[in-house]
Amino acid sequence: LNTDDHDAYLSGYPDNTFGPDRSMTRAEVAQMFYALLLDKDVPITVTFSDVSAGAWYAEAVNTLASLGMVEGVGGGKFVPERTITRAEFTAMAMRFTDVDVAGANPFSDVPADAWYQEYVVDASELGWIGGYPDGTFRPDQTINRAEVTTIVNRMLGRVADEAYVDAHQEELAQFSDVVKAHWAYYQIVEATNAHEYTKDNNTESWTELV
């Protein structure tokens, strides 16, 4: 994934909303990760019976599947329009890293024999995704756009320059349903506004909007 260029990798909807609480589909997540790929010139070796060649997400799904980054659900299907679960998203995200992480499972509802157990534990150890105060992870719960944005920013090492953002409000892509008081406001600004930046000790300083 492209961790150097801080391009916008998510956008809003035609009605000027972002939909922070809206669940993401498997196709939408595949398209997002595809947009972040450094090399999209990939021989297509995997296709799905329910992903038509003309679908807006076909290239993204088939490319990521051919790279082994996404998987179907069995029977040759991908179910692109189904909302993605926390376990599915975490697995997809973790396939983009080869970091060797060793940690104990902190979640009471992530069994040792679950297909997603290693992905979830590793993502938690990396600090990309957390659980809930009751000690659960809720792997089958859907994940929303604000949560996805926060996790992907952590993956990419991207952190909005809050001082720059506050000083350039009128120049930014903004959304009617993401006010400054929203918990993911700066995360969403980071993901939806292309910018040049410098970095010092993991502190990101924006220099220019692109």
Side-chain angles (χ1 to χ4, degrees), residues 46-88:
V46 179
T47 57
F48 302 95
S49 61
D50 59 348
V51 177
S52 63
W56 62 266
Y57 47 77
E59 188 173 4
V61 170
N62 294 335
T63 298
L64 292 183
S66 298
L67 287 170
M69 299 303 179
V70 303
E71 295 179 349
V73 299
K77 296 183 181 297
F78 185 74
V79 290
E81 301 297 345
R82 192 180 78 190
T83 52
I84 196 166
T85 67
R86 285 167 55 82
E88 289 173 330

Side-chain angles (χ1 to χ4, degrees), residues 20 24 62 102 153 156 174 176 190:
M24 291 189 77
N62 294 335
N153 282 341
L156 301 174
Q174 299 267 22
S176 60
E190 172 69 41

Side-chain angles (χ1 to χ4, degrees), residues 23-108:
S23 297
M24 291 189 77
T25 66
R26 287 165 55 82
E28 287 174 330
V29 173
Q31 185 65 44
M32 177 192 67
F33 279 126
Y34 177 76
L36 287 165
L37 279 184
L38 283 169
D39 183 7
K40 297 180 175 65
D41 185 16
V42 177
I44 301 301
T45 58
V46 179
T47 57
F48 302 95
S49 61
D50 59 348
V51 177
S52 63
W56 62 266
Y57 47 77
E59 188 173 4
V61 170
N62 294 335
T63 298
L64 292 183
S66 298
L67 287 170
M69 299 303 179
V70 303
E71 295 179 349
V73 299
K77 296 183 181 297
F78 185 74
V79 290
E81 301 297 345
R82 192 180 78 190
T83 52
I84 196 166
T85 67
R86 285 167 55 82
E88 289 173 330
F89 177 78
T90 304
M92 196 181 296
M94 285 302 300
R95 292 189 188 111
F96 285 97
T97 182
D98 57 2
V99 176
D100 186 18
V101 184
N105 180 4
F107 305 113
S108 61

Side-chain angles (χ1 to χ4, degrees), residues 1-10 18 32-33 36 89 93 126-129 145-161 183-193 195 199 202 204 206:
L1 299 180
N2 188 350
T3 59
D4 292 330
D5 300 315
H6 285 199
D7 299 327
Y9 63 86
L10 284 173
F18 182 78
M32 177 192 67
F33 279 126
L36 287 165
F89 177 78
L126 287 170
W128 290 357
I129 190 169
R145 284 166 57 84
E147 292 168 330
V148 165
T149 304
T150 301
I151 294 165
V152 174
N153 282 341
R154 290 171 182 165
M155 287 177 62
L156 301 174
R158 292 175 57 161
V159 182
D161 180 345
W183 69 267
Y185 172 77
Y186 290 106
Q187 298 284 1
I188 291 169
V189 170
E190 172 69 41
T192 57
N193 291 271
H195 52 275
K199 219 164 194 180
N202 293 320
E204 182 178 325
W206 290 19

Side-chain angles (χ1 to χ4, degrees), residues 154-189:
R154 290 171 182 165
M155 287 177 62
L156 301 174
R158 292 175 57 161
V159 182
D161 180 345
E162 296 186 11
Y164 186 100
V165 169
D166 291 346
H168 295 79
Q169 291 287 303
E170 294 183 0
E171 303 165 47
L172 296 167
Q174 299 267 22
F175 308 99
S176 60
D177 57 348
V178 183
V179 298
K180 194 172 177 181
H182 191 282
W183 69 267
Y185 172 77
Y186 290 106
Q187 298 284 1
I188 291 169
V189 170

